[in-house]
């Protein structure tokens, strides 16, 4: 005998209220009806204000039963979306995984290909599969790509924490939780280390195809431009293919040995590690010795210590970013009404063999 419609809808309400959220396909299986039938019921219950619809999921409009402090509901799942070929975020991912597994929360990893807007369909699929929270690190290779994601990010109705991403102030997703390294402070560490060694002319060679790259470029310009001991500085792309914004001047795309000679620089800061290793090799081919002729500081410290010589590097707290982001997400799952947080963690400077005191002439000037 077919179940009355009102009874079936009461069962849907009870199931959703008990869990806080439920997938449409799971409700259909439990009620032994078609997905289409459940969707129709959900649409009607949504019109009545008794449910809220999401991407393949249903949420109750009533208060969710409290979860005891320090625990999470059985079966909770969160999704992590990170870009492919992004070794920097590997440690961040491991840090988040440790926290989530200790809390008994399942983690579903999604790798976004190198294409504009690749994260959105992955997020929608994760929500359809029942993810109750999200940890996101969109690629955002350009400002336009970032702004294109603002609308759907702001519309997400599940707890979401951005990792190493900070939407611009006043933008729609500005209210999302986020955990980032303080890259301004990282740039400050690099400059102060080199200035302390007597270097007065410095080149900054960075990428320009990620939020971190753009933040570093702005930070280096601000810090070096205002530093009383920096006589001359220049910025250039670390590699021609590492720029997404453009256009760039001839000096900004010039080969690094050319930039060093043009500025008379005795030190360079390079972002990121792989580019730094390759540039050190190019300097050697151009008879520029590290650190005898040019001190080098890398930024990221993923593989900097494996170079010859091992590279002094700014080391952002990658694993800690993941751990703190996961902890914020768990807190948000337990206490949905608390204010959003924007956390910044300080990098460290790892001094190795690629930096040394600048040579000086008879007048004490760096040469």
């Amino acid at each position: 005998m077919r179940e009355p419609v009102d009874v079936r809808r009461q069962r849907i309400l009870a199931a959703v209220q008990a869990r806080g959220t439920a997938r449409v396909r799971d409700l259909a299986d439990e009620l032994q009806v078609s997905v289409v039938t459940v969707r129709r019921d959900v649409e009607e219950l949504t019109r009545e204000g008794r449910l809220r619809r999401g991407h393949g999921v249903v949420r109750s409009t009533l208060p969710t039963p409290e979860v005891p402090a320090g625990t999470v509901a059985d079966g909770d799942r969160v999704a992590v979306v990170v870009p492919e070929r992004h070794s920097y975020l590997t440690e961040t991912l491991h840090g988040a995984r440790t926290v989530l597994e200790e809390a008994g929360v399942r983690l579903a990893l999604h790798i976004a290909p190198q294409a504009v807007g690749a994260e959105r369909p992955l997020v929608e699929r994760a929500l359809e599969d029942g993810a109750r929270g999200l940890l996101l690190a969109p690629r955002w290779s350009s400002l336009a790509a970032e702004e294109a994601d603002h609308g759907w990010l702001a519309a997400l109705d599940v707890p979401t924490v951005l990792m190493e991403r900070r939407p611009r102030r006043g933008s729609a997703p500005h209210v999302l939780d986020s955990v980032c390294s303080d890259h301004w402070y990282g740039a400050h560490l690099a400059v102060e280390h080199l200035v302390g060694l007597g270097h007065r002319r410095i080149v900054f060679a960075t990428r320009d195809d990620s939020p971190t790259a753009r933040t570093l470029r702005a930070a280096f310009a601000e810090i070096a431009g205002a530093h009383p001991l920096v006589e001359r500085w220049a910025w250039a792309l670390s590699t021609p293919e590492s720029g997404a914004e453009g256009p760039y001047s001839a000096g900004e795309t010039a080969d690094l040995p050319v930039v060093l000679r043009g500025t008379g620089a005795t030190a360079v800061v390079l972002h990121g590690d792989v580019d730094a290793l390759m540039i050190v090799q190019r300097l050697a081919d151009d008879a520029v010795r590290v650190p005898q002729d040019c001190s080098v500081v890398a930024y990221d410290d993923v593989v900097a210590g494996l170079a010859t010589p091992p590279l002094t590097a700014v080391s952002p707290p990658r694993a800690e970013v993941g751990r703190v982001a996961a902890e914020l997400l768990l807190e948000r799952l337990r206490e949905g009404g608390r204010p959003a947080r924007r956390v910044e963690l300080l990098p460290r400077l790892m001094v190795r063999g690629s930096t040394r005191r600048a040579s000086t002439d008879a007048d004490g000037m760096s040469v």
Side-chain angles (χ1 to χ4, degrees), residues 64-81:
T64 304
E66 292 188 1
V67 178
T71 65
V72 292
D74 182 40
D76 273 357
R77 177 193 299 171
V78 302
V80 181
V81 181

Side-chain angles (χ1 to χ4, degrees), residues 16-330:
V16 176
Q17 172 59 22
R19 305 169 200 173
T21 183
R23 294 193 305 172
V24 169
R25 68 179 68 173
D26 291 341
L27 291 171
D29 290 342
E30 292 175 23
L31 298 173
Q32 296 185 335
V33 295
S34 70
V35 171
V36 172
T37 297
V38 173
R39 284 176 179 161
R40 289 172 180 165
D41 289 341
V42 167
E43 288 175 2
E44 182 59 33
L45 292 168
T46 300
R47 279 194 291 269
E48 295 174 2
R50 305 169 77 184
L51 289 179
R52 290 186 295 118
R53 296 174 60 194
H55 296 285
V57 296
V58 188
R59 294 180 178 82
S60 176
T61 57
L62 301 177
T64 304
E66 292 188 1
V67 178
T71 65
V72 292
D74 182 40
D76 273 357
R77 177 193 299 171
V78 302
V80 181
V81 181
V82 296
E84 68 171 331
R85 301 176 190 173
H86 205 306
S87 58
Y88 178 95
L89 290 169
T90 301
E91 288 185 53
T92 302
L93 174 62
H94 288 321
R97 177 182 178 182
T98 299
V99 171
L100 295 172
E101 288 183 346
E102 288 177 354
V105 174
R106 292 180 293 166
L107 181 152
L109 176 62
H110 299 265
I111 307 296
Q114 299 184 51
V116 175
E119 289 83 10
R120 182 174 185 176
L122 295 178
V123 168
E124 292 176 348
R125 186 180 309 162
L127 295 177
E128 289 176 357
D129 289 340
R132 291 194 57 218
L134 300 167
L135 293 174
L136 302 180
R139 185 177 300 276
W140 286 349
S141 59
S142 67
L143 289 174
E146 176 182 340
E147 291 171 354
D149 284 343
H150 281 180
W152 69 266
L153 280 173
L156 290 171
D157 57 358
V158 298
T160 301
V161 181
L162 298 176
M163 301 184 298
E164 288 293 17
R165 300 293 183 261
R166 183 63 52 81
R168 61 176 173 78
R169 294 177 180 176
S171 63
H174 180 237
V175 296
L176 293 177
D177 290 311
S178 61
V179 181
C180 295
S181 300
D182 185 342
H183 294 299
W184 185 96
Y185 183 73
H188 166 78
L189 289 176
V191 173
E192 289 298 329
H193 174 64
L194 293 172
V195 169
L197 292 174
H199 297 281
R200 299 295 180 259
R201 297 188 176 194
I202 306 171
V203 168
F204 306 103
T206 74
R207 304 188 66 85
D208 202 24
D209 57 359
S210 74
T212 297
R214 292 188 290 275
T215 297
L216 283 175
R217 178 181 178 179
F220 285 132
E222 176 188 341
I223 294 166
H227 203 294
L229 295 180
V230 175
E231 297 173 359
R232 189 173 180 184
W233 67 275
W235 174 85
L237 284 173
S238 53
T239 61
E241 66 273 12
S242 63
E245 294 295 335
Y248 306 100
S249 68
E252 292 172 341
T253 57
D255 200 39
L256 191 60
V258 175
V259 180
L260 289 173
R261 287 193 295 268
T263 57
T266 59
V268 59
V269 183
L270 302 170
H271 171 245
D273 277 12
V274 173
D275 289 344
L277 267 65
M278 296 180 68
I279 288 173
V280 168
Q281 293 168 186
R282 288 205 335 252
L283 291 175
D285 294 339
D286 207 62
V288 178
R289 301 169 299 168
V290 174
Q292 293 90 339
D293 302 320
C294 181
S295 286
V296 172
V297 177
Y299 199 102
D300 276 356
D301 201 29
V302 177
V303 295
L306 303 178
T308 303
L311 301 182
T312 294
V314 176
S315 182
R318 298 177 297 276
E320 190 65 14
V321 167
R323 283 193 289 268
V324 174
E327 289 167 357
L328 278 181
L329 183 60
L330 292 175

